[in-house]
């Protein structure tokens, strides 16, 4: 029985239908078949150009069986394929969105100079469940709360079996922090960020220079002499888990500093613990007071660490890589929380981080350290958008590219490893790696940190003042 029909053979299986008896297919061009009304394109496979094909019944049956088997196989595989591939694609999309969000917040939303450091859009507030707070008053005005004056810190380290060497972790650093101001310290590993933070807290004694807090000298005092300072300056550490006793409950962990300093009666202490937990959004506090650290997420543990610092109602907090060990979404939440606290209570933060993007987003000023020295200091937008020092440029180039389209873009990378702090190069410590080194000048003497643009400092001979 021969009828006439039109079917298009596109790829595999389109146009195949039920055929009884013999098939006549006429092929026009490639893959367009005119054949039996009961739909086939099988005949098309036999010819090219224009032609007529007749198939014997057995061959027809064989082809039909093959086609049916292929259809069955496809029907069997397709649901599995959809179940695995579709969620995978959705997860990829979600991951890319999260990464983009984080970097969009971190890199692109660096506040303008003079602009409120957290002029956040509505959607960000919803996403990270943070609440808006008012900008601090002029943080740069008046006497600094904390002054680090020409501080150098050295460590004696072993070299070989019997030898010893001097590690110059911090070299002649001066930095002032005002009430309610966040200064971010960025730089690669070993640049002296932690040592500078510890020196500012009096946890390591400088070889030279001094630290003053609220006009009083901290350096050189004994622990009992600077008890007053311990109450007013606190630290939040990188690893919230290792910095708290796993056998103590959240309530005990947060209350401990009050007990150590003999502050308040039991009821007062408990009220302060509850307030601190509320402040870090571990709410309601009663749900968390009796919990142990291992039952909390990384972000919640870090918030317990912040509550522990906050319970002392400090004026100055050193936050050393506070978010580097928690996941990306909690990271942003903890950083927004710190900024919220900074504004609400006027706390000065020294925010130590590897990540120049979050440094710029969550600070009023950014200090870039290289081999124990501050090589650039300035407002976040100026440092990120118009870096002066070649090392800062390299750090910014190293920020991962959030847009997949730009991931393969060639970047300028600083060659080589940073020299050892026990064997600092003469002159500018960056000169062995600097792409813009001025021969005969940069190796001679250390460039001083100078104001190149209003409020924007750099230690580099490229800028003559
Ligand atoms: N107690 C110590 N004894 C000897 N050397 C030390 C000591 N503490 C730090 N250093 C050295 O001082 C230099 C600066 O260390 P520091 O921890 O301050 O750097 P960092 O910028 O915080 O690095 P990271 O980003 O890896 O935390 C490093 O070379 C380090 O090895
Ligand atoms: S002082 Fe010289 S070596 Fe150092 S960063 Fe500037 S140009 Fe480079
Ligand atoms: Mg460190």
């Amino acid at each position: 029985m021969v009828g006439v029909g039109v079917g298009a053979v596109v790829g595999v299986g389109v146009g195949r239908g039920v055929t009884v008896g013999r098939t006549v297919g006429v092929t026009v061009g490639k893959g367009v078949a005119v054949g039996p009304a009961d739909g086939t394109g099988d005949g098309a496979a036999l010819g090219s150009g224009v032609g007529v094909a007749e198939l014997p019944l057995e061959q027809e049956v064989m082809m039909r069986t093959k086609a049916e088997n292929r259809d069955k196989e496809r029907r069997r595989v397709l649901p599995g394929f959809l179940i695995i591939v579709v969620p995978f694609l959705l997860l990829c999309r979600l991951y890319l969105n999260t990464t983009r969000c984080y970097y969009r917040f971190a890199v692109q939303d660096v506040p303008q100079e003079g602009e409120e450091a957290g002029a956040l859009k509505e959607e960000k507030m919803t996403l990270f469940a943070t609440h808006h707070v008012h900008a601090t008053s002029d943080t740069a005005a008046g006497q600094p709360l904390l002054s680090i004056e020409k501080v150098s810190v050295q460590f004696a380290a072993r070299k070989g079996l019997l030898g010893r060497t001097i590690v110059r972790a911090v070299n002649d650093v001066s930095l002032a922090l005002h009430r309610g101001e966040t200064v971010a310290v960025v730089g690669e590993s070993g640049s002296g960020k932690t040592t500078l933070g510890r020196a500012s807290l009096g946890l390591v004694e400088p070889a030279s220079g001094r630290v003053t807090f609220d006009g009083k000298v901290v350096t050189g005092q004994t622990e009992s002499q600077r008890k007053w300072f311990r109450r007013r300056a606190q630290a939040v550490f990188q690893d919230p888990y290792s910095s708290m006793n796993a056998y103590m409950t959240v309530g005990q962990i947060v209350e401990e500093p009050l007990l150590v300093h003999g502050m308040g009666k039991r009821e007062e202490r408990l009220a302060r613990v509850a307030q601190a937990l509320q402040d870090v959004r571990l709410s309601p506090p009663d749900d968390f007071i009796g919990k142990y650290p291992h039952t909390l997420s990384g972000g919640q543990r870090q918030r317990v660490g912040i509550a522990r610092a906050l319970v002392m109602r400090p004026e100055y907090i050193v936050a050393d890589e506070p978010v580097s060990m928690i996941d990306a979404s909690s990271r942003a939440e903890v950083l927004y929380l710190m900024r919220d606290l900074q504004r609400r209570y006027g706390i000065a933060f020294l925010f130590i981080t590897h990540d120049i993007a979050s440094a710029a987003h969550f600070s009023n000023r950014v200090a870039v350290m290289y081999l124990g020295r501050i090589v650039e200091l300035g407002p976040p937008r100026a440092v990120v958008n118009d870096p002066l020092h070649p090392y800062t440029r390299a750090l910014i180039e190293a920020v991962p590219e959030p847009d997949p389209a730009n991931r393969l873009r060639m970047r300028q990378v600083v060659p080589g490893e940073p020299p050892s702090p026990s064997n600092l190069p003469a002159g500018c410590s960056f000169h062995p790696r600097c792409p813009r080194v001025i021969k005969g000048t940069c190796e001679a003497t250390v460039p001083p940190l100078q104001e190149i643009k209003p409020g924007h400092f750099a230690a580099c001979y490229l800028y003559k003042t």
Side-chain angles (χ1 to χ4, degrees):
M1 193 187 95
V2 177
V4 178
V6 179
V9 181
V10 179
V12 178
V14 177
R16 289 207 173 96
V18 180
T19 309
V20 182
R22 295 195 306 169
T23 301
V24 176
V26 179
T27 310
V28 180
K30 274 191 180 164
V32 178
V34 179
D38 43 11
T40 172
D42 288 351
L46 298 179
S48 67
V50 179
V52 178
E54 264 194 54
L55 297 176
L57 182 62
E58 302 73 38
Q59 205 174 331
E60 172 69 27
V61 170
M62 213 170 70
M63 289 178 70
R64 270 191 55 209
T65 314
K66 272 189 191 166
E68 280 170 4
N69 285 344
R70 273 200 297 272
D71 284 348
K72 265 192 211 156
E73 183 65 14
R74 214 175 299 128
R75 275 199 294 276
R76 198 174 62 77
V77 169
L78 191 66
F81 175 79
L82 291 176
I83 288 170
I84 292 167
V85 171
V86 172
F88 175 74
L89 291 175
L90 286 173
L91 279 174
C92 285
R93 170 116 197 133
L94 192 69
Y95 169 76
L96 281 176
N97 279 348
T98 314
T99 318
R100 274 186 204 174
C101 274
Y102 177 66
Y103 281 106
R104 183 161 57 86
F105 290 180
V107 183
Q108 295 177 356
D109 296 341
V110 175
Q112 293 276 5
E113 281 165 59
E115 179 185 272
E116 182 195 342
L120 301 175
K121 291 178 194 136
E122 197 109 311
E123 84 248 24
K124 291 181 203 169
M125 301 300 280
T126 321
L127 183 59
F128 289 116
T130 53
H131 54 265
H132 193 71
V133 285
H134 298 291
T136 47
S137 56
D138 182 9
T139 51
Q143 277 291 103
L145 176 69
L146 179 102
S147 272
I148 299 168
E149 297 166 18
K150 292 182 162 292
V151 163
S152 297
V153 181
Q154 300 176 354
F155 297 107
R158 284 189 181 281
K159 191 180 182 189
L161 208 56
L162 298 171
R164 287 174 84 77
T165 182
I166 300 292
V167 177
R168 298 177 200 284
V170 172
N171 299 299
D172 202 24
V173 167
S174 296
L175 183 67
L177 263 89
H178 296 265
R179 281 184 195 279
E181 183 187 32
T182 296
V183 173
V185 181
V186 286
E188 57 199 326
S189 195
S191 56
K193 305 179 296 293
T194 298
T195 307
L196 181 67
R198 289 171 61 80
S200 77
L201 286 172
L203 296 174
V204 287
E205 280 304 312
S208 60
R210 65 173 196 171
V211 175
T212 62
F213 186 84
D214 205 10
K216 291 181 219 156
V217 179
V218 174
T219 307
Q221 290 194 319
T222 61
E223 274 309 312
S224 56
Q225 283 171 332
R226 61 181 166 213
K227 235 176 174 177
W228 62 274
F229 177 60
R230 289 270 166 267
R231 290 180 184 177
R232 296 170 68 181
Q234 291 292 314
V236 174
F237 298 104
Q238 179 176 18
D239 181 359
Y241 203 61
S242 68
S243 63
M244 50 186 74
N245 187 335
Y247 297 102
M248 287 167 80
T249 63
V250 166
Q252 290 167 334
I253 290 167
V254 177
E255 188 189 2
E256 195 182 28
L258 296 174
L259 285 168
V260 168
H261 287 277
M263 291 167 76
K265 296 200 178 91
R266 173 121 181 100
E267 298 74 46
E268 286 163 2
R269 288 198 305 269
L270 290 184
R272 272 172 81 155
V273 168
Q275 178 62 47
L277 291 176
Q278 191 85 44
D279 284 342
V280 296
R281 301 190 198 120
L282 290 176
S283 169
D286 286 346
D287 285 3
F288 291 90
I289 274 175
K291 285 191 173 172
Y292 286 89
H294 72 271
T295 63
L296 304 175
S297 70
Q300 287 175 331
R301 276 201 288 263
Q302 192 52 289
R303 280 188 272 163
V304 172
I306 297 172
R308 183 184 157 93
L310 213 58
V311 80
M312 295 296 290
R313 302 195 177 146
E315 292 149 73
Y316 171 56
I317 294 181
V318 174
D320 189 355
E321 306 269 6
V323 293
S324 61
M325 294 187 75
I326 53 183
D327 64 277
S329 59
S330 306
R331 225 175 264 179
E333 198 176 331
V334 168
L335 291 173
Y336 280 117
L337 171 73
M338 290 199 323
R339 192 166 67 187
D340 178 11
L341 296 169
Q342 175 227 337
R343 293 184 192 165
R344 196 176 337 151
Y345 295 124
I347 301 168
F349 272 95
L350 191 73
F351 170 37
I352 295 168
T353 175
H354 282 102
D355 178 14
I356 194 161
S358 51
H361 191 69
F362 293 96
S363 68
N364 302 96
R365 284 186 297 152
V366 174
V368 181
M369 279 190 88
Y370 184 75
L371 278 180
R373 290 182 198 279
I374 292 180
V375 295
E376 183 157 355
L377 173 69
R381 185 165 282 261
V383 171
V384 169
N385 291 348
D386 184 20
L388 298 173
H389 199 280
Y391 175 63
T392 315
R393 280 177 203 277
L395 274 187
I396 291 165
E397 277 292 306
V399 173
E401 190 58 73
D403 186 348
N406 291 336
R407 279 198 180 139
L408 298 178
R409 185 171 68 83
M410 289 296 284
R411 294 145 179 270
Q412 193 194 347
V413 181
V414 179
E417 289 287 313
S420 163
S422 55
N423 186 21
L424 292 176
C428 171
S429 320
F430 192 56
H431 86 255
R433 305 167 78 192
C434 181
R436 302 181 66 186
V437 59
I438 308 164
K439 296 270 178 226
T441 302
C442 299
E443 311 93 323
T445 44
V446 177
L449 189 67
Q450 298 184 89
E451 191 167 16
I452 311 297
K453 295 177 180 176
H456 194 173
F457 299 75
C460 178
Y461 288 123
L462 290 174
Y463 308 94
K464 301 260 187 268
T465 53

